[in-house]
Amino acid sequence: MADRMGKLVRDEVVTYFYILLYIALSSGQIFFNKWILSSKEINFPYPLGLTLLHMVFSSVLCFILTKVLKIMKVEEGMTAEIYATSVIPIGAMFAMTLWLGNTAYLYISVAFAQMLKAIMPVAVFILGVAAGLEVMNCRMLLIMSVISLGVLVASYGEISINWIGVVYQMGGVVGEALRLIFMEIFVKRKGLKLNPISLMYYVSPCSAVCLFIPWIFLEKPKMDAQGSWNFQPLILTLNCLCTFALNLSVFLVISHTSALTIRVAGVVKDWVVVLLSALLFADTKLTIINLFGYAIAIAGVAAYNNHKLKKEASRSSADESQHEQSIPLASSSNSDQ
């Protein structure tokens, strides 16, 4: 009994450690990217190039871990048809999300960018309805309205709003919403479930190619015109390593808890980022209206997460009941033979 209690306590401590690790890495990565891109700090104002480095680094590291060192295993079942119809769209949307999201940091504060990200469930729901994955009802319409109102109030309270940055951030939100929709289609209709390492193994090279093409035309000429690329290998390598560690922490949290825990931890992380950014960056000036609007949006996000949790729970219980009903049928068919 004591051993069992000790094991439960250890498991709980490990789970909370992974959640805190995810929050720390996710928050740290946002600040790290802002620090690198900021003209007042490292001054590497190439968000497309930075994102491309992340994807190339991730591709190489995944290959080394799975094929060279064989520490992790790539799950089988991938076909050319699935890669073309699912992985490439996911990779393209992932590239778009990271590129536009990082570019937004050149124009708006970290805190305001996080506030705008709260609109994500609305984008996911609208696109989900369009794709036939979600059903429009009064409850969801109310939740989406609360989130939208909150983001609107938070935006109204922003002192130095830059609409270019807002457009980039909203583009990143749409890209992430599309990626999540493609992921759901990928899992539901293709029937293939991959762990994050396998997913990154397939997606990262695709995202790198999608980023490399616009980088040649948009940022490489600017970098060439500067004469030197202002490339700091140690800092950029450490930044890429942090990005990869963040993806691993997501895998650890999901494997020990659930995908919903990541969403809830993400809400906590967003508040940490908003409040810390006011202390770390001079371009962040929080107002009461900012925080009030963001609190409304987060309340809507919490309601959305609760709705998704109930939906997933009812779906899993329905699957279990179907499985239980199929057992007697199977045994009776065997006795008939």
Side-chain angles (χ1 to χ4, degrees):
M1 184 70 179
D3 290 342
R4 189 183 299 174
M5 285 296 293
K7 187 178 182 301
L8 286 171
V9 170
R10 280 196 302 273
D11 288 345
E12 198 167 324
V13 169
V14 168
T15 300
Y16 279 113
F17 171 76
Y18 287 148
I19 291 171
L20 289 173
L21 181 67
Y22 161 73
I23 292 171
L25 284 171
S26 185
S27 306
Q29 187 63 31
I30 290 168
F31 292 131
F32 202 171
N33 288 347
K34 174 71 173 180
W35 185 59
I36 287 174
L37 294 167
S38 175
S39 58
K40 297 175 184 176
E41 307 293 343
I42 296 299
N43 192 25
F44 185 80
Y46 307 111
L48 189 47
L50 183 65
T51 310
L52 176 58
L53 277 174
H54 290 166
M55 291 299 100
V56 171
F57 185 88
S58 180
S59 301
V60 173
L61 203 54
C62 280
F63 181 79
I64 292 171
L65 288 173
T66 57
K67 299 300 181 182
V68 179
L69 300 177
K70 296 185 178 178
I71 296 172
M72 296 173 180
K73 187 181 177 183
V74 176
E75 294 177 26
E76 298 176 355
M78 183 61 65
T79 64
E81 188 268 334
I82 291 175
Y83 194 90
T85 58
S86 294
V87 175
I88 290 177
I90 290 170
M93 291 304 104
F94 192 39
M96 175 181 165
T97 300
L98 296 174
W99 167 23
L100 297 180
N102 282 334
T103 304
Y105 291 139
L106 295 174
Y107 301 95
I108 58 177
S109 67
V110 170
F112 188 46
Q114 291 304 118
M115 290 176 187
L116 292 176
K117 278 183 187 176
I119 203 77
M120 178 71 68
V122 178
V124 172
F125 180 70
I126 291 170
L127 291 169
V129 170
L133 298 171
E134 298 280 357
V135 179
M136 183 68 75
N137 56 55
C138 294
R139 180 185 172 83
M140 287 304 291
L141 201 60
L142 178 62
I143 291 171
M144 296 304 118
S145 300
V146 169
I147 296 172
S148 301
L149 175 65
V151 173
L152 208 63
V153 172
S155 301
Y156 180 77
E158 181 67 9
I159 295 170
S160 54
I161 192 166
N162 185 308
W163 290 106
I164 296 174
V166 171
V167 169
Y168 274 120
Q169 187 61 50
M170 287 295 99
V173 166
V174 171
E176 177 65 5
L178 284 169
R179 185 183 75 87
L180 293 172
I181 293 297
F182 283 130
M183 283 285 292
E184 193 164 349
I185 292 171
F186 179 51
V187 171
K188 281 186 177 179
R189 297 185 185 171
K190 307 293 181 182
L192 186 63
K193 293 184 178 180
L194 301 175
N195 64 43
I197 289 295
S198 299
L199 194 62
M200 290 303 292
Y201 175 82
Y202 290 118
V203 169
S204 295
C206 176
S207 295
V209 171
C210 291
L211 290 164
F212 182 72
I213 295 168
W215 174 78
I216 290 175
F217 297 102
L218 297 177
E219 284 190 354
K220 187 177 180 296
K222 294 178 186 176
M223 295 172 82
D224 289 336
Q226 289 245 328
S228 66
W229 281 17
N230 192 27
F231 193 89
Q232 300 193 35
L234 183 61
I235 290 175
L236 292 175
T237 301
L238 187 59
N239 183 259
C240 292
L241 198 58
C242 285
T243 303
F244 192 80
L246 173 59
N247 290 325
L248 275 181
S249 72
V250 172
F251 168 62
L252 290 170
V253 172
I254 291 175
S255 63
H256 279 75
T257 55
S258 66
L260 183 78
T261 305
I262 277 287
R263 290 203 290 267
V264 175
V267 171
V268 176
K269 178 264 299 180
D270 290 342
W271 271 111
V272 169
V273 170
V274 167
L275 297 175
L276 277 180
S277 63
L279 300 173
L280 296 175
F281 294 103
D283 66 347
T284 302
K285 297 288 187 293
L286 294 177
T287 66
I288 297 298
I289 299 175
N290 262 154
L291 295 173
F292 179 66
Y294 190 51
I296 294 172
I298 290 299
V301 172
Y304 173 78
N305 286 339
N306 184 54
H307 175 78
K308 294 293 282 186
L309 175 64
K310 288 180 179 177
K311 191 176 177 182
E312 287 167 14
S314 63
R315 187 185 298 147
S316 61
S317 63
D319 290 342
E320 283 175 12
S321 64
Q322 281 181 357
H323 178 68
E324 287 170 2
Q325 287 173 4
S326 67
I327 293 172
L329 289 172
S331 59
S332 64
S333 62
N334 289 335
S335 62
D336 288 341
Q337 289 174 358

